């Protein structure tokens, strides 16, 4: 029995190591908001803090362009060619070149968008400084480290940059007027993490940066377009929620919604860790039996997490935001129901459809979900009106739609029935 356990551990050594590093990283990411959020919401106030979140939600639209779905498509390419330095140099160089062009495009878009966003009139600097989100996406190649299954680099870099961020928050933000320091501090962390990670890639790993022929760049763009379209649908309704709440209900309501979303995001961390650790392995091995085993464990754990949320919701809200943030409770209950739903859709989509080559079908699901979301939004607008509760409900129903549609395709292509697939 002991020998069998040792053998199983040895066989999954890389997976266990990556899972461990991701666990450390995400536990730290769970603790960090518990330290900074209570301080920031009290120092900045819910109105100002809500404004910062509102601006970040708008910048998140531009983040979709810079990321362009490479966190999945590039991870897949790197995982396949991890032992070929020449090919890795081509992949890394191509993705970096494309991302630089996309980042410059977002700066132009932001400049002209300023004339159409009412809140930008008095807060232009906040908008520009909040572009740190896009800078981080540009400089920090998480897709490379995921592809080679070396998650320790992501863990070390992120821990160091976040600790610097933590210290600077308490050192420089003391009043409501210090809100601009928040994006500045985040920007410092983004640049630091990016520079260190690029040093590891180009110096330690001996990857060469080379200008690529336009045909090569077109190939990687084309490969990522389906994932990009999928991300557009996902990010649009995720970011649109905060934008709608801010535009129609006010910045205090943005703060309520953001708190509920933060708590739910923290509780989704176990699934995030699992998904990131599994994807390179599944993409390489294509072992459906293994995926099925993980599925039942994942669903059980996430249902348990939601039950815990139901019992401890008051404690979470009071601890993080105080009594002033209790209106977030109903939103928290609603959005929390998406925890097991998203866990199921992740297995069907990211861990089955994508690795087995059904990227177009995966993208079709996500694009359809965006359409489904906006149809619900129009119905809501023309009938009941917007509330943070109603916006939260259509978000959960959209996630449920995604899960059912993903499952439909898994049944259609018999992915759930096969024992082992070596090619799609």
């Amino acid at each position: 029995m002991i020998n069998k356990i040792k053998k199983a551990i040895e066989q999954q050594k890389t997976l266990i190591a990556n899972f461990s590093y991701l666990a450390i990283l995400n536990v730290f990411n769970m603790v960090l908001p518990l330290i900074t959020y209570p301080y920031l919401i009290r120092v900045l106030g819910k109105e100002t803090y809500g404004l910062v979140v509102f601006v970040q939600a708008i910048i998140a639209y531009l983040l979709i362009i810079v990321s362009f779905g490479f966190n999945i498509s590039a991870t897949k390419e790197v995982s396949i060619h991890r032992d070929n330095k020449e090919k890795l140099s081509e992949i890394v160089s191509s993705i970096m070149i494309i991302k630089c062009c996309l980042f410059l495009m977002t700066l132009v878009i932001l400049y002209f968008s300023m004339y159409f966003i009412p809140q930008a009139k008095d807060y232009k600097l906040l908008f520009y400084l909040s572009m740190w989100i896009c800078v981080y996406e540009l400089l920090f190649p998480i897709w490379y480290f995921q592809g080679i299954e070396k998650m320790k680099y992501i863990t070390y870099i992120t821990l160091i940059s976040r600790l610097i961020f933590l210290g600077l928050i308490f050192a420089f933000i003391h009043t409501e007027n210090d809100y601009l320091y928040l994006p500045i501090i985040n920007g410092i962390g983004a640049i630091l993490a990016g520079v260190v990670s690029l040093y590891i890639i180009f110096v330690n790993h001996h990857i060469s940066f080379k200008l690529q022929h336009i045909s090569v760049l077109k190939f990687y763009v084309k490969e990522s377009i389906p994932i990009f379209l999928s991300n557009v649908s996902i990010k649009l309704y995720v970011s649109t929620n905060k934008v709608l709440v801010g535009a129609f209900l006010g910045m205090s309501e943005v703060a309520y919604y953001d708190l509920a979303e933060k708590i739910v995001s923290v509780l989704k961390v176990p699934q995030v860790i699992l998904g990131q650790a599994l994807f390179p392995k599944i993409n390489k091995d294509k072992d459906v039996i293994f995926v099925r085993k993980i599925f039942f464990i994942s669903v059980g754990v996430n249902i348990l997490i939601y039950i815990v949320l139901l019992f401890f919701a008051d404690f979470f809200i009071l601890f993080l935001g105080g009594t002033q943030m209790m209106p977030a409770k109903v939103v928290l209950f609603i959005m929390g129901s998406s925890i097991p739903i998203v866990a199921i859709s992740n297995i069907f989509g990211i861990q089955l459809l994508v690795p087995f080559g059904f990227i177009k079908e995966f993208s079709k699901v996500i694009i359809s979900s965006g359409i489904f979301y906006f149809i619900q939004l129009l119905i809501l607008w023309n009938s009941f009106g917007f509330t943070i509760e109603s916006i939260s409900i259509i978000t959960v129903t959209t996630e449920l739609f995604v899960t059912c549609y993903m499952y439909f395709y898994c049944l259609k292509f018999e992915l759930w029935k096969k024992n082992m697939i070596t090619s799609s």
Side-chain angles (χ1 to χ4, degrees), residues 382-393:
N382 290 310
S383 54
F384 306 105
F386 294 133
T387 65
I388 52 176
E389 292 84 6
S390 61
I391 290 174
S392 301
I393 289 171

PDB file of all heavy atoms in Angstrom, residues 382-393:
ATOM      1  N   ASN A 382     -35.775  46.760 -19.541  1.00  0.00           N
ATOM      2  CA  ASN A 382     -37.094  47.161 -20.031  1.00  0.00           C
ATOM      3  C   ASN A 382     -38.246  46.703 -19.138  1.00  0.00           C
ATOM      4  O   ASN A 382     -39.405  47.035 -19.402  1.00  0.00           O
ATOM      5  CB  ASN A 382     -37.314  46.609 -21.444  1.00  0.00           C
ATOM      6  CG  ASN A 382     -36.445  47.303 -22.470  1.00  0.00           C
ATOM      7  OD1 ASN A 382     -36.400  48.528 -22.538  1.00  0.00           O
ATOM      8  ND2 ASN A 382     -35.712  46.530 -23.266  1.00  0.00           N
ATOM      9  N   SER A 383     -37.920  45.940 -18.083  1.00  0.00           N
ATOM     10  CA  SER A 383     -39.008  45.447 -17.234  1.00  0.00           C
ATOM     11  C   SER A 383     -38.804  45.808 -15.762  1.00  0.00           C
ATOM     12  O   SER A 383     -39.498  46.686 -15.231  1.00  0.00           O
ATOM     13  CB  SER A 383     -39.141  43.925 -17.385  1.00  0.00           C
ATOM     14  OG  SER A 383     -37.900  43.287 -17.128  1.00  0.00           O
ATOM     15  N   PHE A 384     -37.847  45.181 -15.099  1.00  0.00           N
ATOM     16  CA  PHE A 384     -37.700  45.343 -13.657  1.00  0.00           C
ATOM     17  C   PHE A 384     -36.738  46.461 -13.257  1.00  0.00           C
ATOM     18  O   PHE A 384     -36.789  46.967 -12.144  1.00  0.00           O
ATOM     19  CB  PHE A 384     -37.220  44.020 -13.032  1.00  0.00           C
ATOM     20  CG  PHE A 384     -38.100  42.850 -13.382  1.00  0.00           C
ATOM     21  CD1 PHE A 384     -37.683  41.911 -14.317  1.00  0.00           C
ATOM     22  CD2 PHE A 384     -39.347  42.702 -12.797  1.00  0.00           C
ATOM     23  CE1 PHE A 384     -38.491  40.839 -14.652  1.00  0.00           C
ATOM     24  CE2 PHE A 384     -40.159  41.621 -13.118  1.00  0.00           C
ATOM     25  CZ  PHE A 384     -39.736  40.691 -14.055  1.00  0.00           C
ATOM     26  N   GLY A 385     -35.827  46.830 -14.143  1.00  0.00           N
ATOM     27  CA  GLY A 385     -34.830  47.836 -13.792  1.00  0.00           C
ATOM     28  C   GLY A 385     -33.606  47.199 -13.144  1.00  0.00           C
ATOM     29  O   GLY A 385     -33.617  46.029 -12.753  1.00  0.00           O
ATOM     30  N   PHE A 386     -32.543  48.000 -13.027  1.00  0.00           N
ATOM     31  CA  PHE A 386     -31.282  47.488 -12.488  1.00  0.00           C
ATOM     32  C   PHE A 386     -31.205  47.616 -10.975  1.00  0.00           C
ATOM     33  O   PHE A 386     -31.485  48.674 -10.411  1.00  0.00           O
ATOM     34  CB  PHE A 386     -30.093  48.231 -13.105  1.00  0.00           C
ATOM     35  CG  PHE A 386     -29.913  47.987 -14.574  1.00  0.00           C
ATOM     36  CD1 PHE A 386     -29.694  49.044 -15.442  1.00  0.00           C
ATOM     37  CD2 PHE A 386     -29.955  46.701 -15.086  1.00  0.00           C
ATOM     38  CE1 PHE A 386     -29.518  48.830 -16.793  1.00  0.00           C
ATOM     39  CE2 PHE A 386     -29.790  46.474 -16.443  1.00  0.00           C
ATOM     40  CZ  PHE A 386     -29.568  47.549 -17.303  1.00  0.00           C
ATOM     41  N   THR A 387     -30.805  46.532 -10.332  1.00  0.00           N
ATOM     42  CA  THR A 387     -30.404  46.535  -8.923  1.00  0.00           C
ATOM     43  C   THR A 387     -29.152  45.659  -8.853  1.00  0.00           C
ATOM     44  O   THR A 387     -28.903  44.857  -9.768  1.00  0.00           O
ATOM     45  CB  THR A 387     -31.485  45.960  -7.996  1.00  0.00           C
ATOM     46  OG1 THR A 387     -31.672  44.568  -8.305  1.00  0.00           O
ATOM     47  CG2 THR A 387     -32.810  46.711  -8.157  1.00  0.00           C
ATOM     48  N   ILE A 388     -28.378  45.786  -7.789  1.00  0.00           N
ATOM     49  CA  ILE A 388     -27.192  44.929  -7.701  1.00  0.00           C
ATOM     50  C   ILE A 388     -27.589  43.463  -7.565  1.00  0.00           C
ATOM     51  O   ILE A 388     -26.866  42.575  -8.008  1.00  0.00           O
ATOM     52  CB  ILE A 388     -26.244  45.358  -6.551  1.00  0.00           C
ATOM     53  CG1 ILE A 388     -26.988  45.483  -5.224  1.00  0.00           C
ATOM     54  CG2 ILE A 388     -25.530  46.630  -6.881  1.00  0.00           C
ATOM     55  CD1 ILE A 388     -26.068  45.810  -4.054  1.00  0.00           C
ATOM     56  N   GLU A 389     -28.783  43.212  -6.996  1.00  0.00           N
ATOM     57  CA  GLU A 389     -29.264  41.833  -6.866  1.00  0.00           C
ATOM     58  C   GLU A 389     -29.634  41.249  -8.240  1.00  0.00           C
ATOM     59  O   GLU A 389     -29.250  40.132  -8.567  1.00  0.00           O
ATOM     60  CB  GLU A 389     -30.473  41.758  -5.939  1.00  0.00           C
ATOM     61  CG  GLU A 389     -30.177  42.065  -4.482  1.00  0.00           C
ATOM     62  CD  GLU A 389     -30.179  43.562  -4.177  1.00  0.00           C
ATOM     63  OE1 GLU A 389     -30.531  44.350  -5.089  1.00  0.00           O
ATOM     64  OE2 GLU A 389     -29.827  43.929  -3.046  1.00  0.00           O
ATOM     65  N   SER A 390     -30.378  42.025  -9.034  1.00  0.00           N
ATOM     66  CA  SER A 390     -30.812  41.519 -10.343  1.00  0.00           C
ATOM     67  C   SER A 390     -29.622  41.325 -11.289  1.00  0.00           C
ATOM     68  O   SER A 390     -29.582  40.355 -12.052  1.00  0.00           O
ATOM     69  CB  SER A 390     -31.823  42.478 -10.974  1.00  0.00           C
ATOM     70  OG  SER A 390     -31.264  43.766 -11.186  1.00  0.00           O
ATOM     71  N   ILE A 391     -28.648  42.221 -11.221  1.00  0.00           N
ATOM     72  CA  ILE A 391     -27.441  42.077 -12.042  1.00  0.00           C
ATOM     73  C   ILE A 391     -26.658  40.834 -11.628  1.00  0.00           C
ATOM     74  O   ILE A 391     -26.113  40.111 -12.464  1.00  0.00           O
ATOM     75  CB  ILE A 391     -26.562  43.349 -11.935  1.00  0.00           C
ATOM     76  CG1 ILE A 391     -27.255  44.518 -12.647  1.00  0.00           C
ATOM     77  CG2 ILE A 391     -25.177  43.116 -12.535  1.00  0.00           C
ATOM     78  CD1 ILE A 391     -26.562  45.848 -12.485  1.00  0.00           C
ATOM     79  N   SER A 392     -26.631  40.551 -10.331  1.00  0.00           N
ATOM     80  CA  SER A 392     -25.944  39.361  -9.834  1.00  0.00           C
ATOM     81  C   SER A 392     -26.639  38.083 -10.302  1.00  0.00           C
ATOM     82  O   SER A 392     -25.979  37.094 -10.654  1.00  0.00           O
ATOM     83  CB  SER A 392     -25.895  39.383  -8.298  1.00  0.00           C
ATOM     84  OG  SER A 392     -25.227  40.533  -7.830  1.00  0.00           O
ATOM     85  N   ILE A 393     -27.961  38.110 -10.313  1.00  0.00           N
ATOM     86  CA  ILE A 393     -28.735  36.927 -10.721  1.00  0.00           C
ATOM     87  C   ILE A 393     -28.457  36.557 -12.172  1.00  0.00           C
ATOM     88  O   ILE A 393     -28.222  35.384 -12.497  1.00  0.00           O
ATOM     89  CB  ILE A 393     -30.248  37.157 -10.503  1.00  0.00           C
ATOM     90  CG1 ILE A 393     -30.560  37.162  -9.008  1.00  0.00           C
ATOM     91  CG2 ILE A 393     -31.067  36.074 -11.215  1.00  0.00           C
ATOM     92  CD1 ILE A 393     -31.983  37.589  -8.676  1.00  0.00           C
TER      93      ILE A 393
END
